[in-house]
Amino acid sequence: DVVTGEIHVSFSGRIKLTEDITSLFSEDVSPSGSTGDEPKISDDERCKQYAKDFRIKLSDLSTTEKINSIVSDAVKTPFDMRCGAIHFDMLYSFTRYKVDNPRYHRFLLKTLDTITLPDRDERAKEIIRFFGKDGAVDAEEWKTGLTAIRRMGSYQIYIGLDKLFPIDDNSPLAEYFTRIDEYIDLAQNKGIGLPKPISFNQAYFFMTDGFKDKLPLLMYVYERYADRLEWDDKIRKKMSGILATMYKNASLPADKKKLIQWMAEFYNQSEISEKSADQLFNFVRSFARTTNKERNKEISQAYPDADLSYFASLCADRISKLAPLTQYPSQKEERINFCLEYNIPVPGLIPTMAEAQSILDGQNWEEQKQTMALLEKMGSKPKPLEKSIVKLLDKRSLDHQSELKDMQESALVILGHIRSAEPKAIQAMIESLTSREYGLPDKAKDALVEIGKPVVPHLLQRWNSLTNQDGGLKYSLAVIFSRIGKDAIAAKAILQSALSGEKNKDVRYAIEAALQAME
């Protein structure tokens, strides 16, 4: 304050002495070492100029002599974050142009050894990355790199492991496995991580994170060390994802088979819980096909149907227990359908044939309807229930007409699956060919084709009763003959005779196709 003399604010700063500012001062107050005619160059400016000049040198790596000269200049400058930043340019250029210089290699090893906190220092990351860029990490690089990893904070360890294990078709897997063992031994002896050693679980999953695209290494780590983990829900969820990813990325059938066995063993040992059910059926859902043919080709390569069948056979009992554990009806239906497809019993959800018989003999219409819908998905398994299902076709109810209609529609499908030769069943299917109910004619047609040869006399009997006004049904019967093929040979003479007088071009075409299919 100019009145009271009190100091209210103080400020400390530095003035950069440019040429213009320096000229304002007399020579005797110029900075030490300056003539007063030249501006003082700051350390930052000096390093920037040094780096600029050095980049020019790096633009010519055409001879060994020039590379050695560049290295001689570079190693005189410590790898720090000021003038030593030239080494980032060195690492980039040497990596890009595949330059290998033993002297510079020793310089990098020594530098990495002196970095106190490698996870917080960009130099350490770049040096370790450089070690693996040529596709190989020698013993000295591994030793120095592992020492750096031991001093890393936990969240950076996986990056170091990723770079120290470059992998291709020529990688020395046996040597890599030995190094993995060395890392695991250190982890078990609390020898990795700062400021406190990390747990074995952490060390294990940092390694799997670093190996996420390196299947042979991941498989080795899982097979040899997964049983040493301390398991909980979080670990199981993570491991479920790792196994699923390994399976997806595996290309060799032998690897896929081994991974399927591991996954089945993993789920067989998991607890009976909704979380375990979600994890297992998420994997199963990976095999689902789409409406896109090209996409399905990719899916079938990564997820062969035979592997899913093998998986279902290995852990059928666990699947049976896990299937009901969901609060969502759509998920439960999806899981039941899977169990039906792979003949996995689910007590309380999928009835046995004895249970189904008891339900069909009862009076609970809704339960009967649900049971028929399930039997419809069981293929030929409901054969013992044939008489009861045929009997259902004659059943009538004014109070439950809607449920009965659905059940009778399911009955036709089931009777087709079990290849019923019952005349009443076949006649019901033929009558349904002209139904106006959505989808029913197609289901009846499929059922008749499934039964095959036994339906041919019945179809011919119906054919002989038709007139020129029944073109739609004629067409349907001709299509069925065509799909039955050689087993419909008994209809050949009648169809040949009908062909000469048939005026409907669509029916003629279907008859011709049927005759050709019989040959």
Side-chain angles (χ1 to χ4, degrees):
D1 188 303
V2 295
V3 177
T4 65
E6 292 178 301
I7 298 175
H8 295 291
V9 177
S10 66
F11 178 79
S12 176
R14 176 181 294 178
I15 297 174
K16 186 176 181 180
L17 293 180
T18 64
E19 185 176 355
D20 291 336
I21 294 177
T22 303
S23 66
L24 299 176
F25 297 90
S26 60
E27 185 175 342
D28 60 338
V29 296
S30 296
S32 176
S34 171
T35 64
D37 296 327
E38 299 176 354
K40 180 179 178 178
I41 301 176
S42 69
D43 287 342
D44 287 343
E45 286 185 320
R46 179 172 58 82
C47 288
K48 286 180 182 178
Q49 185 60 48
Y50 179 50
K52 184 178 180 180
D53 294 340
F54 203 85
R55 289 190 196 102
I56 295 174
K57 295 181 181 181
L58 287 171
S59 65
D60 187 355
L61 301 170
S62 57
T63 66
T64 302
E65 289 74 16
K66 290 179 179 180
I67 292 171
N68 288 336
S69 175
I70 291 169
V71 169
S72 295
D73 290 344
V75 296
K76 294 174 184 177
T77 304
F79 195 166
D80 56 30
M81 299 306 291
R82 298 183 69 187
C83 290
I86 63 163
H87 293 287
F88 289 111
D89 292 327
M90 286 278 287
L91 292 173
Y92 172 78
S93 294
F94 277 26
T95 298
R96 181 177 181 183
Y97 299 107
K98 296 180 173 58
V99 175
D100 183 22
N101 184 276
R103 185 180 180 188
Y104 192 63
H105 182 263
R106 290 193 298 272
F107 171 81
L108 292 175
L109 290 169
K110 185 176 180 181
T111 299
L112 182 57
D113 245 348
T114 62
I115 298 175
T116 306
L117 298 173
D119 60 313
R120 304 181 191 178
D121 199 312
E122 197 65 28
R123 296 174 300 163
K125 300 173 191 176
E126 290 303 315
I127 291 173
I128 291 175
R129 183 178 287 113
F130 179 77
F131 287 167
K133 282 293 185 179
D134 60 356
V137 174
D138 63 32
E140 196 171 12
E141 290 171 336
W142 163 248
K143 180 181 178 180
T144 307
L146 181 59
T147 301
I149 285 176
R150 297 182 66 180
R151 301 195 303 271
M152 285 185 175
S154 59
Y155 63 94
Q156 290 291 346
I157 290 175
Y158 80 92
I159 298 176
L161 290 170
D162 174 32
K163 305 308 175 187
L164 288 172
F165 286 86
I167 194 165
D168 57 29
D169 293 339
N170 299 315
S171 294
L173 293 181
E175 186 175 0
Y176 279 0
F177 295 159
T178 299
R179 293 176 182 180
I180 290 172
D181 296 341
E182 187 178 353
Y183 168 85
I184 292 292
D185 286 344
L186 284 170
Q188 288 198 301
N189 290 296
K190 304 295 183 182
I192 294 176
L194 290 178
K196 292 180 64 177
I198 61 176
S199 68
F200 177 78
N201 276 20
Q202 288 176 304
Y204 181 94
F205 286 111
F206 287 141
M207 176 160 272
T208 59
D209 288 345
F211 292 170
K212 61 183 178 181
D213 297 321
K214 303 170 183 180
L215 184 65
L217 305 186
L218 270 179
M219 291 182 68
Y220 179 81
V221 172
Y222 179 82
E223 185 172 25
R224 190 170 177 85
Y225 295 113
D227 59 353
R228 302 187 189 183
L229 291 167
E230 294 181 8
W231 295 90
D232 57 26
D233 287 347
K234 185 177 180 180
I235 297 302
R236 288 193 174 280
K237 181 178 180 181
K238 188 172 180 67
M239 187 60 76
S240 175
I242 291 172
L243 285 167
T245 299
M246 282 198 286
Y247 175 80
K248 177 183 177 182
N249 293 338
S251 57
L252 298 177
D255 286 343
K256 281 195 172 294
K257 183 177 181 180
K258 180 178 284 190
L259 283 159
I260 283 290
Q261 292 169 344
W262 288 351
M263 296 191 78
E265 182 181 7
F266 173 79
Y267 288 116
N268 282 335
Q269 294 174 354
S270 65
E271 61 180 5
I272 307 298
S273 69
E274 191 170 337
K275 291 179 180 178
S276 295
D278 288 342
Q279 291 162 14
L280 184 148
F281 284 101
N282 281 342
F283 174 66
V284 167
R285 198 175 294 114
S286 303
F287 289 78
R289 302 302 190 254
T290 70
T291 56
N292 186 311
K293 290 184 179 180
E294 292 303 315
R295 173 62 183 143
N296 285 344
K297 290 180 182 179
E298 298 175 6
I299 295 174
S300 62
Q301 288 180 348
Y303 299 96
D305 289 333
D307 282 0
L308 182 57
S309 180
Y310 184 44
F311 176 76
S313 69
L314 291 175
C315 50
D317 182 65
R318 188 51 53 106
I319 291 173
S320 174
K321 291 181 172 64
L322 293 176
L325 302 183
T326 176
Q327 55 184 313
Y328 303 106
S330 60
Q331 277 191 346
K332 185 175 290 187
E333 182 180 0
E334 179 185 39
R335 295 174 184 183
I336 290 173
N337 288 340
F338 173 77
C339 293
L340 287 169
E341 182 177 357
Y342 289 94
N343 199 26
I344 299 173
V346 183
L349 289 181
I350 300 177
T352 63
M353 292 304 102
E355 290 169 340
Q357 181 68 69
S358 177
I359 292 170
L360 293 179
D361 290 340
Q363 299 299 320
N364 189 324
W365 288 85
E366 188 59 35
E367 194 174 22
Q368 288 177 345
K369 176 182 171 182
Q370 293 174 358
T371 299
M372 289 295 291
L374 290 173
L375 294 173
E376 188 177 334
K377 299 172 182 177
M378 293 187 185
S380 61
K381 194 174 180 181
K383 183 69 175 177
L385 306 177
E386 182 176 6
K387 289 184 178 179
S388 295
I389 295 172
V390 172
K391 185 178 178 181
L392 190 62
L393 296 174
D394 287 332
K395 197 169 185 177
R396 300 291 183 266
S397 174
L398 293 175
D399 294 332
H400 300 282
Q401 191 171 354
S402 176
E403 294 96 327
L404 189 56
K405 179 179 69 66
D406 291 338
M407 290 164 60
Q408 289 171 339
E409 186 173 322
S410 292
L412 295 183
V413 176
I414 296 167
L415 292 167
H417 290 338
I418 66 176
R419 297 186 176 183
S420 174
E422 287 288 331
K424 185 176 292 186
I426 295 172
Q427 288 302 322
M429 293 172 191
I430 294 173
E431 292 304 318
S432 296
L433 293 173
T434 56
S435 172
R436 294 182 181 274
E437 292 291 337
Y438 176 76
L440 182 55
D442 288 335
K443 289 182 178 180
K445 195 180 297 181
D446 291 340
L448 290 164
V449 172
E450 278 191 281
I451 297 171
K453 190 174 183 178
V455 308
V456 174
H458 300 275
L459 295 176
L460 287 174
Q461 185 179 4
R462 189 71 178 96
W463 179 281
N464 290 330
S465 69
L466 299 180
T467 68
N468 290 334
Q469 306 303 315
D470 299 312
L473 184 53
K474 276 187 176 182
Y475 179 82
S476 295
L477 295 177
V479 169
I480 295 170
F481 285 133
S482 177
R483 290 176 60 187
I484 293 175
K486 293 181 179 180
D487 282 343
I489 191 67
K492 184 174 182 180
I494 292 177
L495 292 179
Q496 286 176 330
S497 175
L499 184 61
S500 60
E502 183 58 55
K503 296 180 180 180
N504 186 308
K505 63 178 183 180
D506 292 329
V507 176
R508 285 183 60 85
Y509 190 90
I511 292 173
E512 290 172 349
L515 290 170
Q516 290 180 16
M518 295 173 190
E519 294 177 357

